[in-house]
């Protein structure tokens, strides 16, 4: 049986209150008594429950969320969820702050990560841009014993402690199956719209999408990826140009978050063409597009669950504790016009 504080008190011949003072490094204990308690701890092999001790001391966890700026509706929702987590700080014993960096900008992200060294930080959550210098910056934080969680887009090959996001290869495969089934055997071209191939979640979605398309829907040809950088103006221009330049496009897969620009282009140049469209992230814009038939299906990840998961994992890791993997798994939801929440 695991030794307890009662065993320490009995072995040292002191009160529970004295054991508590020694364990939590409080004043009011004579040196000789403190040495007796510490000797008893060593002799009986007592292992302290760090999480419980931190709770008893009322430890506060300073957490940093590094989030990209830009006109991205999903990221706006992620910001809102982090701010919501801030309102729970007194209950969850956290102090959360947001550090903003330009989207798809590895040097800016590295600078933000490196700036945290020497600060009072219990954990860092970031939307990762997949670049060697970012990976190295994350590893430096982990080497400095600062827990790191990636949000939405992972950074495989790094020493990060956890990824809070969906399985993006599975998401891409799911999108391919939906699009292929919706098209019902038609032959034609598929346009793929991404934010940037610099982020792993976009590359993994494309990987899953292309693999399943090739295996099960060979009559559908994938066109080169359009990179709209999640910017509505850039995205609208790219999609409008693609549709104007080809009558063979019968489907669109939007694997990033540039859906406002996509919707604008579809309404301007794609109406009446019978296009089938699958997109990611349920926002006010994609919800309206589902309702009016501009988009056929939306794959969604719960930003609130991701933020709550990041907070739980960072706190547990800071305490040297494990976490329940099943509780932290982020679900992929599929929405069509008929099952909108």
């Amino acid at each position: 049986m695991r030794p307890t504080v009662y065993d320490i008190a009995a072995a040292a011949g002191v009160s529970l209150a004295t054991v508590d003072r020694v364990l939590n490094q409080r004043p009011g204990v004579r040196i000789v008594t403190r040495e007796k308690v510490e000797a008893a701890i060593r002799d009986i092999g007592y292992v302290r429950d760090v999480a419980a001790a931190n709770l008893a001391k009322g430890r506060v966890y300073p957490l940093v969320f590094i989030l990209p700026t830009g006109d991205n509706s999903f990221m706006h929702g992620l910001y809102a969820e982090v701010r919501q987590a801030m309102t729970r700080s007194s209950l969850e014993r956290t102090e959360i702050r947001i550090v903003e960096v330009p989207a798809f900008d590895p040097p800016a992200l590295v600078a933000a990560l490196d700036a945290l060294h020497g600060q009072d930080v219990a954990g860092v959550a970031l939307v990762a841009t997949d670049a060697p210098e970012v990976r190295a910056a994350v590893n430096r934080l982990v080497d400095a014993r600062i827990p790191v969680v990636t949000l939405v887009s992972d950074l495989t090959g790094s020493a990060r402690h956890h990824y809070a996001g969906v399985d993006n290869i599975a998401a891409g495969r799911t999108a391919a199956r939906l699009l292929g089934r919706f098209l019902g055997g038609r032959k034609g071209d598929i346009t793929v719209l991404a934010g940037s191939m610099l982020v792993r979640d976009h590359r993994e979605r494309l990987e899953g999408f292309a693999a399943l398309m090739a295996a099960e829907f060979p009559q559908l040809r994938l066109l080169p990826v359009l990179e709209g950088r999640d910017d509505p103006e850039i995205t609208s221009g790219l999609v409008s140009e693609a549709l104007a330049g080809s009558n063979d496009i019968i489907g669109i897969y939007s694997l990033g978050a540039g859906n406002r620009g996509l919707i604008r282009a579809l309404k301007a140049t794609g109406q009446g063409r019978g296009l089938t469209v699958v997109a990611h992230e349920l926002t006010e814009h994609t919800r309206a597009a589902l309702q009016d038939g501009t988009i056929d299906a939306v794959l969604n990840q719960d930003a609130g669950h991701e933020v709550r998961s990041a907070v739980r994992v960072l706190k547990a890791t800071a305490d040297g504790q494990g976490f329940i993997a099943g509780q932290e798994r982020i679900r992929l939801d599929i929405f069509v016009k008929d099952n909108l929440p």
Side-chain angles (χ1 to χ4, degrees):
M1 182 178 293
R2 184 175 178 176
T4 69
V5 291
Y6 296 94
D7 299 315
I8 299 173
V14 299
S15 67
L16 285 174
T18 298
V19 173
D20 177 75
R21 290 191 185 96
V22 173
L23 286 174
N24 291 297
Q25 299 181 343
R26 296 191 181 101
V29 182
R30 293 185 302 168
I31 294 176
V32 63
T33 304
R34 185 178 298 277
E35 290 175 348
K36 285 173 60 180
V37 173
E38 290 173 349
I41 290 171
R42 290 193 300 271
D43 291 344
I44 68 175
Y46 174 79
V47 178
R48 193 179 188 198
D49 186 335
V50 179
N54 283 335
L55 179 61
K57 290 190 294 183
R59 179 186 180 183
V60 174
Y61 300 79
L63 305 179
V64 176
F65 280 74
I66 303 178
L67 305 178
T69 58
D71 198 359
N72 179 320
S73 297
F74 176 75
M75 288 301 165
H76 292 171
L78 191 65
Y79 270 81
E81 292 296 343
V82 175
R83 293 189 185 99
Q84 184 64 31
M86 291 177 177
T87 68
R88 301 190 297 269
S89 289
S90 60
L91 295 175
E92 297 181 349
R93 295 174 293 114
T94 58
E95 288 180 354
I96 297 174
R97 62 186 173 98
I98 297 173
V99 173
E100 297 183 343
V101 296
F104 314 124
D105 189 336
L109 184 52
V110 169
L113 290 165
D114 284 343
L116 298 176
H117 288 273
Q119 297 187 25
D120 182 17
V121 178
V124 179
L126 73 149
V127 178
T129 300
D130 192 11
E133 58 268 38
V134 176
R135 193 171 291 106
V138 165
N139 291 348
R140 287 192 291 273
L141 277 182
V142 174
D143 288 342
R145 299 185 180 278
I146 298 177
V148 177
V149 168
T150 52
L151 280 170
V152 182
S153 185
D154 200 8
L155 195 61
T156 57
S158 72
R160 59 95 176 120
H161 295 84
H162 182 66
Y163 162 57
V166 299
D167 180 335
N168 284 298
I169 291 179
R173 291 179 64 86
T174 301
R177 188 169 301 282
L178 288 171
L179 197 55
R181 290 291 185 89
F182 286 163
L183 287 169
R186 293 173 62 192
K187 182 178 180 180
D189 292 344
I190 303 297
T191 289
V192 177
L193 175 64
S196 170
M197 290 295 100
L198 285 174
V199 290
R200 180 169 289 273
D201 59 326
H202 290 195
R203 293 206 308 274
E204 289 182 341
R205 289 174 188 177
L206 178 61
E207 177 185 344
F209 185 82
L212 193 131
M213 276 290 180
E216 300 199 22
F217 305 102
Q219 77 279 10
L220 299 173
R221 182 171 70 108
L222 300 191
L223 298 177
V225 176
L226 306 177
E227 294 186 55
R229 300 186 68 81
D230 291 345
D231 182 287
E233 296 298 329
I234 296 173
T235 299
S236 179
L238 289 173
V239 174
S240 296
E241 183 179 355
L243 293 177
S246 174
N247 290 321
D248 295 326
I249 297 173
I250 60 175
I252 297 176
Y253 173 38
S254 175
L255 57 79
N259 293 317
R260 287 169 56 194
L262 167 66
I263 294 166
R264 185 188 308 167
L266 290 174
K267 290 183 180 297
T269 61
Q271 289 185 337
R273 291 186 50 163
L275 291 168
T276 298
V277 182
V278 174
H280 277 263
E281 316 314 349
L282 187 64
T283 66
E284 60 176 313
H285 306 289
T286 54
R287 175 186 291 273
L290 278 174
Q291 291 171 329
D292 68 19
T294 304
I295 290 177
D296 296 276
V298 169
L299 307 181
N300 188 63
Q301 55 190 316
D302 187 337
H305 187 182
E306 289 170 342
V307 170
R308 293 189 297 273
S309 176
V311 170
R312 284 193 297 266
V313 171
L314 289 173
K315 288 172 62 179
T317 306
D319 284 340
Q321 304 296 307
F323 52 87
I324 303 171
Q327 183 182 17
E328 310 310 336
R329 181 181 178 186
I330 308 300
R331 184 180 64 192
L332 181 70
D333 293 314
I334 302 172
F335 293 111
V336 294
K337 179 179 181 178
D338 309 285
N339 72 332
L340 284 170

